[in-house]
Amino acid sequence: AISIYAAILLFNVSHNLLKKFSGETDAVPCVKLVVVWIVSQLLMFKVKEDPLSSTAVAVLWGHTTGFFAIADFGHIQEHRFHDSPMQSMTVVGIAGGLLIVLCFVTRLLRSWVALAGDGVVDDVEALWMERCEDYEDDVITMTLGFLISQVLRFHACGKMVGHEEEPEGGTPQQIAGLCLLGICFAVSLIVFTGIRAKVDASTKDPTVKRMVGIANNFQGMTAAWTLLFGLRWRFIEPWAARFGSAIPAKLLLALMTSLGAVGVILGLDLMTQCVDDEFDPSPRTLRAITGAVGLMVGLTWEQTFAASIEGLAEGGFAHPLLIEIGLSMFLFIVIYPSWQLYILPKTDKRLEQCVKAMQLHGDDEEEENAEMEKALEESGDEESTIHDEDSQGSEEDSENQRLKHTVKRA
């Protein structure tokens, strides 16, 4: 949830800066997506020697690139393929095709870089390639899940609605139908997560594992987006009318979603304690469920803070967009380092072990430096003692020479 919120802040800052200094940012579709994709790959290559930094970049920029893809393909879906749900479904194929091409090209480049020189993929390069694949899978599942949920929302509402907008009106049957579709995807997510655990335990083919993981994460993202749209449709407008503002309504929805997330986490913990050891799901296997829950919680809180920041920015300031950018950057600077240093390592045992090893290595270096400083101080004291003794001896020799000279003169 925190990584989703930090990614949205980063996306909003980047998008608003482009809007401020470049004008219309949707004139050429998918250009921003390709640029951010290339920048993210370069960043992951730059920090590949540091497991914690590479994982943080993969997670954060995977979410951020996903939001850029959602903005680009969502704009295409809302303005060019909006006549019917089947027509809007075409954008899902277009997005999937472009993302697969990007994955194929960057995979070839990664393989070439990893094998260059010694012709062997070492452990650092293998972890780097794994993080890049996680990044790509995150972008694919977030984007396709959103586009599918927009198609389902179109079917329930009877018209295409922007992802930042709420449908006007709507019968209880329409709202219940959209929520029911989200629940169906959530049930299929739970069932398929069990299948994924068995596949991970029974096969060693990385391609099969990756395809199953993408399908599982896609179900989670679709369920999360669909349920989020359904809950917003059901609660935001009535609560906003009751409180006279949308901010308290979004705050209540964020609190309700957070409580639901706590229930899901407790249920997952109970499930992992009850299943057989043979098919004990790993945190990586459960990532589809935790990612879906995190998406819902992160988006609801982001919408709450975004409404608050927008209200503050428009409160009599001459440049509200710059105020909004500044506040978003401040929140990102506060959140991101804490998440990377203290929360992210607890999500993966390998990362936690790497952080502990780095801390032990740092402590050993400090001890070595302290011992070296102590040795230098002791050697300095010995040198000063020898120098004093030499000085004292020189003075005695000089005195003897003077006495001898006096005797000779006498």
Side-chain angles (χ1 to χ4, degrees):
I2 297 176
S3 61
I4 289 285
Y5 181 63
I8 298 176
L9 290 174
L10 183 59
F11 165 76
N12 287 336
V13 170
S14 306
H15 191 265
N16 288 333
L17 285 174
L18 288 173
K19 185 185 296 184
K20 175 68 176 178
F21 298 105
S22 301
E24 182 60 41
T25 60
D26 298 317
V28 183
C30 303
V31 173
K32 300 190 300 294
L33 168 62
V34 175
V35 172
V36 174
W37 184 285
I38 295 173
V39 171
S40 303
Q41 297 283 346
L42 293 175
L43 283 174
M44 285 185 285
F45 175 75
K46 183 178 180 180
V47 298
K48 68 176 183 178
E49 301 291 339
D50 185 355
L52 181 60
S53 297
S54 63
T55 304
V57 170
V59 174
L60 177 69
W61 284 93
H63 297 336
T64 306
T65 310
F67 288 122
F68 272 102
I70 286 170
D72 285 342
F73 291 113
H75 183 268
I76 296 173
Q77 192 180 45
E78 293 169 18
H79 295 86
R80 302 185 185 182
F81 295 86
H82 57 272
D83 293 335
S84 67
M86 289 303 297
Q87 188 188 55
S88 64
M89 190 73 182
T90 308
V91 183
V92 179
I94 297 173
L98 178 60
L99 292 174
I100 289 173
V101 170
L102 290 174
C103 290
F104 180 75
V105 172
T106 50
R107 183 177 182 180
L108 288 178
L109 292 174
R110 283 197 303 271
S111 300
W112 177 74
V113 171
L115 296 174
D118 55 2
V120 178
V121 179
D122 57 25
D123 294 338
V124 174
E125 292 169 339
L127 182 60
W128 164 59
M129 297 175 74
E130 180 183 333
R131 293 295 180 249
C132 291
E133 290 180 353
D134 291 341
Y135 162 86
E136 294 166 354
D137 297 347
D138 195 10
V139 177
I140 292 173
T141 53
M142 279 186 65
T143 305
L144 298 186
F146 168 80
L147 296 174
I148 289 291
S149 67
Q150 279 290 80
V151 174
L152 299 177
R153 196 184 187 196
F154 193 170
H155 177 74
C157 300
K159 62 179 180 179
M160 176 60 70
V161 182
H163 64 279
E164 294 183 352
E165 303 173 359
E166 305 299 335
E168 296 180 359
T171 64
Q173 291 78 13
Q174 289 176 316
I175 299 174
L178 183 60
C179 292
L180 182 60
L181 289 172
I183 292 172
C184 290
F185 271 98
V187 172
S188 67
L189 166 66
I190 296 172
V191 174
F192 202 84
T193 300
I195 298 174
R196 180 183 180 182
K198 295 182 179 181
V199 170
D200 289 344
S202 60
T203 184
K204 295 182 179 180
D205 189 348
T207 303
V208 174
K209 289 184 177 182
R210 186 180 183 186
M211 293 299 103
V212 174
I214 289 176
N216 194 205
N217 293 334
F218 165 73
Q219 290 174 318
M221 292 293 105
T222 307
W225 283 111
T226 307
L227 285 173
L228 180 62
F229 287 145
L231 292 174
R232 282 168 47 182
W233 194 8
R234 170 64 181 83
F235 294 109
I236 292 297
E237 186 176 348
W239 286 352
R242 177 177 299 180
F243 294 110
S245 173
I247 296 177
K250 292 181 178 180
L251 177 61
L252 283 178
L253 182 59
L255 291 172
M256 185 175 67
T257 308
S258 300
L259 291 176
V262 172
V264 172
I265 293 171
L266 293 177
L268 287 176
D269 183 62
L270 181 62
M271 181 188 71
T272 54
Q273 294 177 5
C274 296
V275 297
D276 298 334
D277 294 336
E278 182 181 358
F279 301 120
D280 187 13
S282 64
R284 187 177 182 84
T285 304
L286 297 175
R287 186 179 297 174
I289 299 177
T290 57
V293 174
L295 179 69
M296 293 187 65
V297 175
L299 286 175
T300 52
W301 281 107
E302 186 277 334
Q303 290 169 1
T304 304
F305 281 100
S308 303
I309 290 174
E310 186 176 352
L312 288 174
E314 294 178 354
F317 292 100
H319 302 284
L321 183 60
L322 293 179
I323 298 297
E324 184 176 349
I325 292 173
L327 291 174
S328 298
M329 289 181 65
F330 172 77
L331 288 174
F332 177 80
I333 292 172
V334 171
I335 291 172
Y336 177 72
S338 303
W339 167 76
Q340 177 179 345
L341 294 176
Y342 301 107
I343 298 177
L344 182 61
K346 298 183 182 299
T347 62
D348 192 330
K349 290 183 179 180
R350 292 181 300 176
L351 281 180
E352 195 169 7
Q353 292 172 355
C354 289
V355 172
K356 289 181 180 179
M358 292 171 63
Q359 291 175 349
L360 290 174
H361 181 66
D363 294 338
D364 292 340
E365 287 185 349
E366 290 180 358
E367 291 179 359
E368 291 178 359
N369 293 332
E371 291 177 357
M372 290 179 63
E373 290 178 358
K374 185 177 180 181
L376 290 173
E377 290 177 358
E378 291 177 353
S379 63
D381 294 339
E382 292 178 357
E383 290 178 357
S384 61
T385 303
I386 293 172
H387 179 70
D388 293 339
E389 291 177 354
D390 292 341
S391 300
Q392 185 176 0
S394 326
E395 292 176 356
E396 291 177 354
D397 293 339
S398 301
E399 184 66 26
N400 291 332
Q401 291 291 338
R402 284 196 296 270
L403 287 173
K404 288 180 181 180
H405 184 66
T406 305
V407 169
K408 284 182 181 180
R409 291 181 61 186

